[in-house]
Amino acid sequence: MKEINLNSSKTELKNIIVRNDWMHEEDQIISIETPGAGNMNVVLRIISQKGSFILKQSRNYVNKYPQIPAPIDRIDIEAQFYKLIHTSSCSHYLPRLLGYDRTNKIIFLEDLGRSSDYQLLYQNNFNLSQKEYVATLSFLHQLHNTPFSESKSSQFPKNLALRQLNHEHLFVYPYSEKNNIDLNEIKPGLQRLAQKMRQDTLLKKAAIQLGKQYLSEGTSLLHGDYYPGSWLKTKSGFHVIDPEFCFFGPKEYDLGVLRAHLKMAEQPISYLNDFWKHYPASEVNFSLVDQFEGMELIRRIIGLAQLPLSLSLQKRETLLQEGKRLLMVS
Ligand SMILES: Nc1ncnc2c1ncn2[C@@H]1O[C@H](COP(=O)(O)OP(=O)(O)OP(=O)(O)O)[C@@H](O)[C@H]1O
Ligand SMILES: [Mg+2]
């Protein structure tokens, strides 16, 4: 595999692109840029005379933290997701998959244009518009309810290696006393709140039980990382990217995660109250949604994958208590 990055020469990149028939020999690359902040993979915007496109390459480590190993086949799974949902009604929310180079672990995506993700929602006074809010739920409903044949869903990769890595972040590190992140650097006083949570053996047990559900199989195709960092605010509206954590699993996972982020981003209360109006629920296990919501609140506040939250210590404490209450319902 040829590793590419922002410093790769245009000639080198062009060779890979032309060999994949994604660009003609006679076309020129005008410039290469980083389209946005990502941690896991290398993501580049290639601007040519004929337009622009996005390249995304996975490595057997986390691109931003090379000491952390990560399964390199995550890009193959992301490519398979795009191929599978190609005919689903939800596909218009996603960029089109234009090509896939299995050898070099690259996918080639439609460029949704220079845009920002929705992590600005965590800042004070930034809200999703009603239209954007409805879109977050419509996408999920359409994705979860796309009918797939038994053979397509059973042959779809389990994505277990990446899920196991994520499982540590979701169900283990936040509750571990050996966790060496200094939470007081994030918010003075947070370390003490985390210690209290970490002494709660019943909570730890509930987290371990829920972790089994995360690693289980299910009938819905999940996005798997459905939070504002996977949403793009573009000129043509709300879009969804980055399904590398996808798997056929319990839809309650995506739903709980989404609800937790609406809370952490302090979105209008009606967005939580009206949630099931825009995601007509059929066969949803509501207490499982609550548990995943609780899990996400806790792991984002005292775990390693921190968010640019602008919440006071007191609000974080309230959300941790709520997280605990939700995770422990069953
Ligand atoms: N199709 C696209 N069109 C426009 N911009 C894009 C596109 N795909 C990705 N980007 C930009 O590149 C950034 C990184 O992409 P992406 O989230 O897929 O990478 P990642 O390495 O998986 O990130 P993370 O570490 O957050 O999982 C996005 O936040 C977005 O700004
Ligand atoms: Mg990603």
Side-chain angles (χ1 to χ4, degrees), residues 39-41 56 78 225 230 242 244-245:
N39 293 329
M40 290 288 283
N41 307 286
K56 180 168 180 177
E78 186 163 345
D225 197 17
S230 297
D242 200 14
E244 64 186 336
F245 285 89

Side-chain angles (χ1 to χ4, degrees), residues 226-324:
Y226 200 61
Y227 85 112
S230 297
W231 307 339
L232 282 192
K233 192 174 176 68
T234 78
K235 278 194 192 129
S236 60
F238 171 86
H239 280 88
V240 179
I241 56 166
D242 200 14
E244 64 186 336
F245 285 89
C246 67
F247 63 105
F248 274 88
K251 52 184 173 284
E252 291 81 2
Y253 177 75
D254 277 346
L255 291 161
V257 166
L258 171 56
R259 288 182 64 87
H261 286 269
L262 292 175
K263 279 191 185 160
M264 288 183 282
E266 299 190 288
Q267 294 299 291
I269 192 68
S270 63
Y271 288 4
L272 285 157
N273 294 341
D274 296 346
F275 197 86
W276 304 109
K277 284 190 199 153
H278 305 288
Y279 183 105
S282 68
E283 294 175 41
V284 171
N285 177 343
F286 294 104
S287 62
L288 191 56
V289 175
D290 284 349
Q291 288 189 290
F292 281 125
E293 181 184 329
M295 164 219 82
E296 184 70 2
L297 288 171
I298 295 170
R299 77 101 169 192
R300 290 297 192 169
I301 296 175
I302 61 169
L304 265 60
Q306 290 280 326
L307 298 167
L309 301 177
S310 53
L311 300 171
S312 66
L313 184 66
Q314 205 184 0
K315 283 193 174 148
R316 288 176 213 230
E317 182 168 21
T318 308
L319 287 177
L320 280 177
Q321 287 310 320
E322 188 167 346
K324 183 173 149 178

Side-chain angles (χ1 to χ4, degrees), residues 34-45 53-57 62-64 74-75 78 82 94-96 107-119 225 227-232 234 240-245:
T34 308
N39 293 329
M40 290 288 283
N41 307 286
V42 176
V43 184
L44 301 175
R45 170 177 285 119
F53 51 85
I54 301 288
L55 289 189
K56 180 168 180 177
Q57 185 181 50
V62 175
N63 190 50
K64 198 169 161 192
R74 60 192 183 275
I75 206 74
E78 186 163 345
Y82 281 111
L94 294 145
R96 274 177 305 130
I107 56 171
F108 171 59
L109 294 169
E110 173 190 6
D111 184 5
L112 297 171
R114 290 199 179 97
S115 49
S116 71
D117 69 24
Y118 276 85
Q119 294 202 62
D225 197 17
Y227 85 112
S230 297
W231 307 339
L232 282 192
T234 78
V240 179
I241 56 166
D242 200 14
E244 64 186 336
F245 285 89

Side-chain angles (χ1 to χ4, degrees), residues 37-254:
N39 293 329
M40 290 288 283
N41 307 286
V42 176
V43 184
L44 301 175
R45 170 177 285 119
I46 309 289
I47 303 173
S48 79
Q49 289 158 316
K50 297 242 172 88
S52 60
F53 51 85
I54 301 288
L55 289 189
K56 180 168 180 177
Q57 185 181 50
S58 63
R59 273 109 205 249
N60 57 9
Y61 54 89
V62 175
N63 190 50
K64 198 169 161 192
Y65 307 105
Q67 69 281 13
I68 305 178
I72 195 166
D73 69 353
R74 60 192 183 275
I75 206 74
D76 306 315
I77 295 167
E78 186 163 345
Q80 291 208 40
F81 176 96
Y82 281 111
K83 285 183 187 166
L84 191 62
I85 55 88
H86 161 77
T87 52
S88 160
S89 59
C90 72
S91 63
H92 71 276
Y93 286 108
L94 294 145
R96 274 177 305 130
L97 178 72
L98 305 172
Y100 166 41
D101 178 344
R102 196 194 164 107
T103 312
N104 289 303
K105 299 293 175 204
I106 300 173
I107 56 171
F108 171 59
L109 294 169
E110 173 190 6
D111 184 5
L112 297 171
R114 290 199 179 97
S115 49
S116 71
D117 69 24
Y118 276 85
Q119 294 202 62
L120 40 87
L121 292 175
Y122 302 120
Q123 295 168 23
N124 289 327
N125 307 322
F126 269 98
N127 287 339
L128 287 167
S129 68
Q130 177 72 19
K131 194 171 166 198
E132 290 168 317
Y133 156 68
V134 172
T136 64
L137 281 165
S138 302
F139 167 78
L140 217 48
H141 190 258
Q142 287 168 32
L143 174 67
H144 291 169
N145 290 286
T146 303
F148 296 111
S149 67
E150 168 60 27
S151 68
K152 278 198 172 147
S153 56
S154 63
Q155 280 163 24
F156 196 81
K158 306 279 175 259
N159 211 355
L160 259 184
L162 194 57
R163 271 200 280 161
Q164 251 138 12
L165 190 76
N166 206 23
H167 178 276
E168 295 291 299
H169 286 268
L170 303 178
F171 304 100
V172 182
Y173 296 143
Y175 307 91
S176 164
E177 321 236 348
K178 288 189 235 116
N179 185 340
N180 57 12
I181 173 177
D182 184 2
L183 293 167
N184 284 342
E185 264 180 29
I186 292 153
K187 198 82 190 169
L190 193 56
Q191 191 72 32
R192 186 183 52 82
L193 299 183
Q195 269 153 5
K196 266 205 302 198
M197 302 285 283
R198 289 172 187 158
Q199 282 157 5
D200 190 327
T201 44
L202 288 178
L203 177 65
K204 276 190 190 180
K205 263 196 189 154
I208 289 166
Q209 281 306 109
L210 187 63
K212 291 182 189 156
Q213 301 259 17
Y214 174 67
L215 293 175
S216 72
E217 291 172 24
T219 50
S220 303
L221 180 60
L222 310 190
H223 178 277
D225 197 17
Y226 200 61
Y227 85 112
S230 297
W231 307 339
L232 282 192
K233 192 174 176 68
T234 78
K235 278 194 192 129
S236 60
F238 171 86
H239 280 88
V240 179
I241 56 166
D242 200 14
E244 64 186 336
F245 285 89
C246 67
F247 63 105
F248 274 88
K251 52 184 173 284
E252 291 81 2
Y253 177 75
D254 277 346

